[in-house]
């Protein structure tokens, strides 16, 4: 992380009047005592920077600043320095507390707007006094356009996940450079075997995008790719003189592939590669674990990024619903929403299962993911759900230790209260 040049970090500025808890917020989000906190207004005098890795944004730097209402001669200098900081941040958090949104805040908001810097208002100290609907209306009326508002308690660690979701939303699109699909798992000269079923669902005369992208990415790593149908896998592996470094299969044939791949050969699925590529694999793996807590009568949202023509035995509309019902031992209400029909309110659902999202960008996928987690509704994707339902998810997560650990922890995690979970996620 230290190797990342400064300019390649997302700069997140934390602004607001004195004593609202800016330093406390930076300490809570980074999980470290970066800035001194005290009840004396004017504690922070110079900008304090803290660089860290903030999944899924990558390398970021938080900049804690001196209060922008600072009075007196020395105060003026500090205000100038803070204003200079405004010029170099990519996104900003305007911190305040319930009932406090006056000239100082309006001025900071205006300065950010002038610079085209996206920002959110953070209402801190909600443990002490939560914001009233009138206060939220007041903030919206003071700024044009109305900024997103996140209630938090820096001291109790509440709302930090929502804050992370907002940061994902505020970060510039080009910040979300896509990570490698598979090439980083292979060294030059190593072989990956790709298992691609050619069934009714396969498009005529070509491969689907994740398969093509995987082949290209393997070649970019100077590694080698062999593509087989699931029925050929066992023979193909036997004929190899060296074991492959990786086997990647379509989720629909994961059970057969797991059976035909020797236990000491790492294997995964295209869906898992896509989950990592487009989203946050660890969070989606946690979402898969939540299938365990589905009960008859629960509602599950199947979300498709595009409106494709459903096939007779469509994976999202037929197969996954059938397996879910078998797994939960009763009627699970499954609703399918495609394209823009994705609902804002996810509270009726016990789980969201998203498609592989080959047509949407990483930022859009991450926004959906954090949006759902914030509403305390776990999200996973088709392939992870299928692997879970077939009992092979731990195996196909093996090449990704952090995601596997998150999955193992998740069953216990989902039993905790939403507040406890928020604190856990908050320790970003
Ligand atoms: N109840 C409550 N108090 C908080 C919270 N966050 C911060 N405080 C308290 O508010 C006071 C100011 O906190 P700081 O983090 O120093 O505030 P600041 O905005 O950095 O202040 P300056 O550096 O002086 O501008 C301290 O006494 C904190 O303990 C919170 O979430 N809840
Ligand atoms: Mg401070």
């Amino acid at each position: 992380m230290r190797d990342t040049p400064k300019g390649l970090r997302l700069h997140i500025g934390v602004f607001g009047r004195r004593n609202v808890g800016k330093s406390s917020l930076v300490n809570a989000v980074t999980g470290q005592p970066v800035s001194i906190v005290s009840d004396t207004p004017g504690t922070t005098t110079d900008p304090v920077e803290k660089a860290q890795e903030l999944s899924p944004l990558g390398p970021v730097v938080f900049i804690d600043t001196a209060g922008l209402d600072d009075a007196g001669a020395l105060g003026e200098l500090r205000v100038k320095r803070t204003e200079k900081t405004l010029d170099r941040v990519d996104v900003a958090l305007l911190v305040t507390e319930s009932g406090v949104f006056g000239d100082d805040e309006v001025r900071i908001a205006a300065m950010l707007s002038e610079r085209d810097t996206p920002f959110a208002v953070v209402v801190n100290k909600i443990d002490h006094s939560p914001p009233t609907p009138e206060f939220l209306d007041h903030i919206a009326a003071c700024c044009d356009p109305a900024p997103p508002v996140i209630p938090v308690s820096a001291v109790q660690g509440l709302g930090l996940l929502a804050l992370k979701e907002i940061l994902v939303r505020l970060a510039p699109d080009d910040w979300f450079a896509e990570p490698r699909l598979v090439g980083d798992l292979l060294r030059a000269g190593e072989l990956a075997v790709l298992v691609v079923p050619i069934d009714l669902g396969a498009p005529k005369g070509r491969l689907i995008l994740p398969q093509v992208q995987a082949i290209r990415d393997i070649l970019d790593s100077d590694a080698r790719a062999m593509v087989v149908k699931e029925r050929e896998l066992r023979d193909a592996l036997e004929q190899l003189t060296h074991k492959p470094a990786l086997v990647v299969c379509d989720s629909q044939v994961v059970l057969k592939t797991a059976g035909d791949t020797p236990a000491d050969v790492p294997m995964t699925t295209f869906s898992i590669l896509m989950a990592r590529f487009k989203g946050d694999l660890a969070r989606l793996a946690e979402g898969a674990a939540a299938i365990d807590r589905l009960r008859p009568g629960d509602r599950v949202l199947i979300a498709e990024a595009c409106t494709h023509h459903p096939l007779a035995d469509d994976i999202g509309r037929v197969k996954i619903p059938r397996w879910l019902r078998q797994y939960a031992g009763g009627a699970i209400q499954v609703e399918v929403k495609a394209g823009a029909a994705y609902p804002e309110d996810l509270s009726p659902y016990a789980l969201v299962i998203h498609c592989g999202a080959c047509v949407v960008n990483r930022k859009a996928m991450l926004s959906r993911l954090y949006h759902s987690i914030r509403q305390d509704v776990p999200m996973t994707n088709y392939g992870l759900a299928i692997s879970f339902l077939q009992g092979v998810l731990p195996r196909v997560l093996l090449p990704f230790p952090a995601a596997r650990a998150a999955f193992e922890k998740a069953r216990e995690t989902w039993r905790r209260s939403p507040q406890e979970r928020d604190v856990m996620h908050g320790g970003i």
Side-chain angles (χ1 to χ4, degrees), residues 6-330:
K6 236 180 157 185
L8 293 181
R9 293 182 175 280
L10 187 76
H11 283 54
I12 304 167
V14 181
F15 304 99
R17 65 171 81 182
R18 288 174 300 166
N19 224 34
V20 288
K22 301 178 295 300
S23 300
S24 305
L25 183 74
V26 171
N27 292 351
V29 174
T30 58
Q32 287 165 37
V34 177
S35 290
I36 297 167
V37 166
S38 90
D39 54 9
T40 311
T43 301
T44 309
T45 52
D46 290 306
V48 177
E49 299 198 5
K50 172 64 188 163
Q52 78 161 146
E53 200 70 32
L54 183 66
S55 168
L57 286 164
V60 302
V61 55
F62 282 94
I63 310 175
D64 181 20
T65 63
L68 267 174
D69 62 330
D70 218 345
L74 200 58
E76 225 169 87
L77 268 177
R78 289 177 196 162
V79 172
K80 283 235 159 64
R81 212 167 290 162
T82 298
E83 287 186 3
K84 255 189 143 168
T85 307
L86 272 166
D87 289 333
R88 62 190 184 94
V89 300
D90 301 302
V91 300
L93 299 173
L94 170 47
V95 185
T96 185
E97 57 187 84
S98 284
V100 178
F101 204 93
D103 290 347
D104 288 320
E105 285 72 22
V106 170
R107 194 164 49 87
I108 300 169
M111 287 193 287
L112 289 164
S113 298
E114 272 166 28
R115 290 163 174 79
D116 268 339
T117 306
F119 70 96
V121 173
V122 178
V123 180
N124 189 28
K125 309 191 187 182
I126 57 167
D127 57 292
H128 177 64
S129 72
T132 60
E134 294 76 33
F135 178 62
L136 297 178
D137 288 346
H138 170 67
I139 296 176
C142 286
C143 305
D144 184 25
V149 178
I150 319 145
V152 307
S153 163
V155 163
Q156 294 198 350
L158 299 173
L160 299 182
L161 188 65
L163 187 66
K164 189 167 146 173
E165 184 201 331
I166 292 290
L167 287 172
V168 167
R169 225 192 282 173
L170 295 181
D173 277 0
D174 58 8
W175 184 254
F176 292 83
E178 287 174 339
R180 299 292 298 270
L181 181 59
V182 60
D184 58 323
L185 300 174
L186 299 160
R187 286 195 294 259
E190 287 186 333
L191 175 72
V193 179
L194 309 182
V195 186
V196 173
I198 303 296
D199 56 14
L200 273 179
K204 208 170 168 352
R206 61 178 175 87
L207 298 176
I208 60 171
L209 193 57
Q211 296 159 354
V212 175
Q213 282 177 311
I215 294 171
R216 171 62 200 261
D217 201 34
I218 290 166
L219 297 177
D220 282 342
S221 286
D222 296 330
R224 298 163 192 171
M226 181 168 89
V227 186
V228 297
K229 289 190 289 189
E230 71 277 17
R231 267 171 295 148
E232 323 298 331
L233 176 64
R234 188 183 283 263
D235 273 358
L237 289 177
E238 275 170 12
Q239 285 167 23
L240 291 173
T241 49
H242 295 294
K243 285 187 173 152
L246 182 67
V247 171
V248 184
C249 68
D250 187 285
S251 299
Q252 299 204 52
V253 295
V254 70
L255 204 54
K256 177 162 175 50
T257 305
D260 288 347
T261 304
D264 59 345
V265 173
M267 71 165 277
T268 193
T269 68
F270 286 107
S271 289
I272 285 170
L273 296 180
M274 285 305 279
R276 188 174 69 129
F277 188 57
K278 293 279 183 179
D280 183 331
L281 179 58
R283 292 281 106 83
L284 291 164
E286 287 175 355
I291 294 174
D292 250 354
R293 63 167 196 177
L294 289 180
R295 298 287 171 262
D298 278 349
R299 285 167 74 179
V300 172
L301 175 68
I302 301 267
E304 294 179 342
C306 60
T307 47
H308 75 289
H309 192 66
L311 295 161
D313 197 15
D314 188 64
I315 186 78
R317 288 157 203 263
V318 182
K319 284 189 185 169
I320 290 180
R322 189 169 65 219
W323 290 331
L324 282 177
R325 287 176 189 125
Q326 283 167 357
Y327 192 87

